[in-house]
């Protein structure tokens, strides 16, 4: 009986830790202070995932706007604005400060092209 209770508590603890880790990977209501700011030269823009917009740099890195095509962004107009130009990206942090490829804000010079930040 005692082993069953201990096993139950350990199992419940493992489930709680897994839940918290998964929840920390979900990006909701990002704030500028929760992001890493990087400058990237965009060399290619494609559609990826489920209506995501993927920005490729001149190396092997890529960054994406989650469901960007559902949010009113257009691949052709983005290509005109940012292709082969250096942009400023706010990338959301996950799991204790690790940087994701999720774009919370995209700007070129002083023009904000996309943002998830609430004003």
């Amino acid at each position: 009986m005692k082993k069953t209770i201990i096993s139950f508590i350990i199992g419940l603890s493992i489930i709680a830790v897994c839940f918290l880790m998964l929840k920390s990977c979900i990006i909701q209501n990002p704030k500028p202070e929760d992001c890493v700011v990087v400058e990237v030269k965009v060399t290619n823009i494609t559609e990826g995932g489920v209506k995501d917009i993927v920005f490729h740099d001149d190396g092997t890195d890529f960054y994406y706007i989650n469901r960007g095509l559902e949010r009113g962004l257009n691949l052709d107009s983005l290509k005109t604005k940012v292709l082969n130009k250096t942009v400023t990206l706010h990338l959301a942090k996950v799991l204790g400060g690790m940087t994701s490829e999720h774009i919370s804000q995209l700007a070129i010079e002083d023009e904000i092209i996309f943002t998830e930040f609430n004003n």
Side-chain angles (χ1 to χ4, degrees), residues 9-62:
I9 291 171
I10 290 172
L12 193 59
S13 298
I14 290 171
I15 290 170
V17 167
C18 290
F19 173 77
L20 291 173
M21 286 180 65
L22 285 174
K23 187 175 180 190
S24 72
C25 291
I26 298 171
I27 301 166
Q28 295 177 340
N29 278 337
K31 297 178 180 26
E33 58 270 14
D34 298 329
C35 294
V36 172
V37 179
V38 297
E39 290 192 355
V40 174
K41 182 176 180 183
V42 177
T43 58
N44 193 17
I45 303 172
T46 60
E47 179 180 351
V50 180
K51 306 268 184 191
D52 294 347
I53 299 174
V54 182
F55 298 83
H56 305 266
D57 69 3
D58 51 0
T60 59
D61 290 331
F62 65 91

Side-chain angles (χ1 to χ4, degrees), residues 21-105:
M21 286 180 65
L22 285 174
K23 187 175 180 190
S24 72
C25 291
I26 298 171
I27 301 166
Q28 295 177 340
N29 278 337
K31 297 178 180 26
E33 58 270 14
D34 298 329
C35 294
V36 172
V37 179
V38 297
E39 290 192 355
V40 174
K41 182 176 180 183
V42 177
T43 58
N44 193 17
I45 303 172
T46 60
E47 179 180 351
V50 180
K51 306 268 184 191
D52 294 347
I53 299 174
V54 182
F55 298 83
H56 305 266
D57 69 3
D58 51 0
T60 59
D61 290 331
F62 65 91
Y63 310 92
Y64 69 94
I65 295 176
N66 191 40
R67 298 190 182 264
L69 295 174
E70 290 180 348
R71 295 178 177 202
L73 297 173
N74 178 286
L75 285 177
D76 291 331
S77 67
L78 285 170
K79 287 179 182 178
T80 301
K81 283 186 178 184
V82 303
L83 196 59
N84 297 315
K85 296 178 183 168
T86 299
V87 298
T88 303
L89 304 176
H90 283 71
L91 303 174
K93 293 184 211 173
V94 293
L95 282 176
M98 290 177 53
T99 305
S100 70
E101 286 83 22
H102 175 92
I103 298 172
S104 294
Q105 181 168 291

